[in-house]
């Protein structure tokens, strides 16, 4: 009996060990993602390019205000909100304006009635021409007063003259708005400008078409600069000139006030518009061919064959194999194999 119990115990223990081994094998088969550092392939960011600090500005700012004085009854927008042209922004208390319209309409009705009665006399030749002209003048005055009253009533509603983003809200509900006092500012950020102060000794080397690469850490992206607007008046204290670089802002990612790192690249440099990557990210296979580790949309590492050209500083020009926007591994590639899952 004891031997039978011992046999059963041994069999149960062996089965448990088999299950544990199987479980361990399954766990070992799922490898944890490898942590690496990556960067996107972008136009020639080379070490010898001159770098400045800039500030993102809106393309254009529009201050929106009431034409008359009154108490603001409602504010219908908030800061950062997108608005379209003609959209209602705020309303002013229109009690007095409505009263003026009612009075002007009554005067207009009275003038029209007088005109109709005196017209019969004029047509019969029993009304002097001077009185007829006077009656017509009074009708015109009443019509003008009515138009002004209606315009004042319409001006109690403030609408957006342009489309954009509400920058600042300067007046709130319950406050008194003065004529021409800005209620809100509307910013056009469909494109933006990056403002940079350039020393007078270097301003001569910058033209309207000098290529620039702009890095904005707040959005984690690089942007190609466009046309440059050069100031012609230097700051009296710093002896620097303000320049503004036009930048497309698709998706409205760039917002006024963001800090930007601006690189001016020589117009003759081959780096401009090229695929420049760190030299250390290029690896060599046993057959002598070159490759880099790239990461696809599923965060999987792949060997990508490349051809390279000249080097500039710590960067090398890739002539074939990569496209703008491809993500390459710059650190941690020693731990990778084809198909490895990564995190970055």
């Amino acid at each position: 009996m004891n031997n039978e119990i011992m046999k059963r115990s041994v069999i149960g223990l062996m089965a448990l060990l088999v299950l544990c081994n199987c479980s361990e094998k399954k766990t070992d088969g799922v490898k944890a993602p490898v942590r690496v550092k990556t960067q996107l392939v972008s136009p020639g960011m080379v070490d010898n390019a001159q770098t400045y600090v800039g500030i993102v500005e809106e393309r254009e700012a529009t201050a929106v205000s009431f034409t008359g004085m009154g108490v603001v009854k409602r504010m219908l927008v908030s800061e950062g909100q997108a608005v379209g042209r003609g959209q209602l922004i705020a309303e002013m208390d229109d009690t007095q304006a409505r009263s003026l319209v009612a009075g002007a309409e009554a005067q207009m009705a009275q003038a029209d009635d007088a005109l109709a009665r005196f017209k019969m006399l004029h047509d019969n030749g029993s009304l002097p021409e001077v009185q007829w002209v006077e009656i017509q003048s009074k009708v015109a005055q009443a019509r003008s007063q009515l138009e002004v009253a209606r315009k004042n009533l319409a001006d109690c509603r403030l609408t957006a003259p342009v489309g954009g983003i509400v920058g600042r809200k300067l007046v709130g509900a319950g406050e008194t708005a003065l004529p021409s006092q800005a209620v809100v500012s509307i910013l056009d950020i469909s494109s933006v400008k990056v403002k940079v102060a350039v020393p007078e000794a270097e301003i001569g080397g910058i033209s309207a078409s000098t290529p620039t690469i702009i890095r904005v850490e707040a959005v984690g992206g690089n942007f190609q600069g466009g046309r440059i607007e050069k100031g012609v008046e230097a700051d009296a204290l710093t002896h620097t000139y303000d320049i503004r670089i036009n930048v497309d802002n698709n998706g409205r990612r760039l917002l006024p006030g963001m800090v930007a790192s601006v690189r001016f690249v020589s117009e003759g440099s081959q780096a401009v518009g090229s695929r420049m990557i760190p030299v250390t990210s290029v690896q060599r296979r046993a057959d002598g061919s070159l490759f880099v580790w790239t990461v696809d949309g599923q965060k999987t590492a792949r060997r990508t064959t490349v051809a390279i050209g000249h080097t500039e500083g710590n960067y090398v020009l890739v002539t074939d194999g990569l496209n703008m926007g491809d993500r390459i591994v710059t650190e941690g590639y020693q731990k990778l194999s084809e198909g490895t899952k990564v995190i970055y």
Side-chain angles (χ1 to χ4, degrees):
M1 184 70 176
N2 290 336
N3 290 337
E4 185 66 24
I5 294 174
M6 288 181 66
K7 286 181 181 179
R8 291 181 179 178
S9 298
V10 170
I11 292 172
L13 181 59
M14 292 177 66
L16 181 60
L17 289 173
V18 169
L19 289 174
C20 289
N21 288 335
C22 291
S23 177
E24 288 178 2
K25 288 180 181 179
K26 289 181 180 180
T27 302
D28 292 341
V30 180
K31 294 183 179 179
V34 176
R35 180 171 293 279
V36 296
K37 286 188 177 181
T38 67
Q39 81 171 44
L40 294 176
V41 177
S42 59
M45 297 186 65
V46 295
D47 291 345
N48 60 354
Q50 189 64 46
T51 305
Y52 300 86
V53 175
I55 298 294
V56 176
E57 295 182 341
E58 65 278 359
R59 178 173 177 267
E60 189 174 357
T62 303
V64 186
S65 60
F66 287 105
T67 57
M69 183 177 72
V71 177
V72 177
K73 182 169 62 175
R74 290 197 304 164
M75 284 296 300
L76 303 174
V77 297
S78 56
E79 294 183 356
Q81 178 181 339
V83 296
R85 183 175 181 179
Q87 182 175 335
L88 184 62
I89 294 175
E91 288 183 323
M92 185 184 290
D93 185 2
D94 59 359
T95 304
Q96 183 178 2
R98 289 185 180 279
S99 296
L100 293 176
V101 169
E105 288 175 343
Q107 290 182 359
M108 188 71 238
Q110 184 179 6
D112 285 337
D113 180 67
L115 180 66
R117 287 186 287 105
F118 280 102
K119 186 177 185 303
M120 296 176 60
L121 296 176
H122 177 265
D123 293 344
N124 292 332
S126 48
L127 181 69
E129 192 67 25
V130 173
Q131 291 185 4
W132 175 241
V133 171
E134 182 179 352
I135 291 299
Q136 289 181 315
S137 177
K138 289 181 178 179
V139 170
Q141 290 177 1
R143 184 175 293 109
S144 176
Q145 291 175 357
L146 178 59
E147 290 176 356
V148 171
R150 286 174 174 171
K151 176 67 167 55
N152 290 337
L153 177 59
D155 287 344
C156 290
R157 292 168 54 87
L158 185 63
T159 57
V162 294
I165 301 293
V166 176
R168 296 186 61 190
K169 189 169 66 173
L170 304 170
V171 177
E175 297 181 358
T176 300
L178 301 176
S180 301
Q181 175 192 8
V183 176
V184 297
S185 62
I186 298 179
L187 309 180
D188 180 0
I189 58 171
S190 55
S191 64
V192 295
K193 298 179 180 181
V194 178
K195 177 183 174 183
V196 180
V198 178
E200 61 181 10
E202 301 170 11
I203 191 68
I206 298 174
S207 69
S209 58
T210 298
T212 54
I213 304 297
I214 298 168
R215 173 74 181 177
V216 182
E217 293 295 343
V219 297
N222 296 329
F223 301 85
Q224 188 78 40
R227 183 176 179 277
I228 295 177
E229 302 171 6
K230 293 173 62 175
V232 296
E233 187 174 348
D235 185 278
L237 295 178
T238 62
H239 297 283
T240 58
Y241 289 83
D242 286 341
I243 70 168
R244 288 173 170 82
I245 307 165
N246 289 275
V247 182
D248 288 334
N249 192 22
N250 295 329
R252 295 180 175 178
R253 297 171 61 200
L254 299 178
L255 300 176
M258 288 183 173
V259 177
S261 175
V262 180
R263 292 184 180 225
F264 292 92
V265 184
S266 161
E267 293 188 58
S269 172
Q270 295 182 8
V272 178
S274 302
R275 293 174 289 274
M276 302 294 293
I277 65 174
V279 173
T280 54
S281 62
V282 180
Q283 307 296 308
R284 188 180 298 275
R285 294 190 180 95
D287 60 3
S289 62
L290 302 177
F291 72 94
V292 295
W293 286 104
T294 59
V295 180
D296 61 20
Q298 285 71 44
K299 295 187 176 181
T300 302
R302 304 292 183 191
R303 288 187 182 90
T304 301
T305 302
V306 296
I308 64 172
H310 71 283
T311 60
E312 295 190 38
N314 294 326
Y315 287 77
V316 62
L317 171 65
V318 176
T319 58
D320 189 33
L322 293 178
N323 297 312
M324 294 294 179
D326 286 348
R327 185 175 294 278
I328 63 170
V329 179
T330 57
E331 293 184 28
Y333 46 77
Q334 299 88 347
K335 300 173 288 185
L336 298 180
S337 57
E338 188 71 21
T340 300
K341 292 293 185 180
V342 300
I343 54 175
Y344 51 85

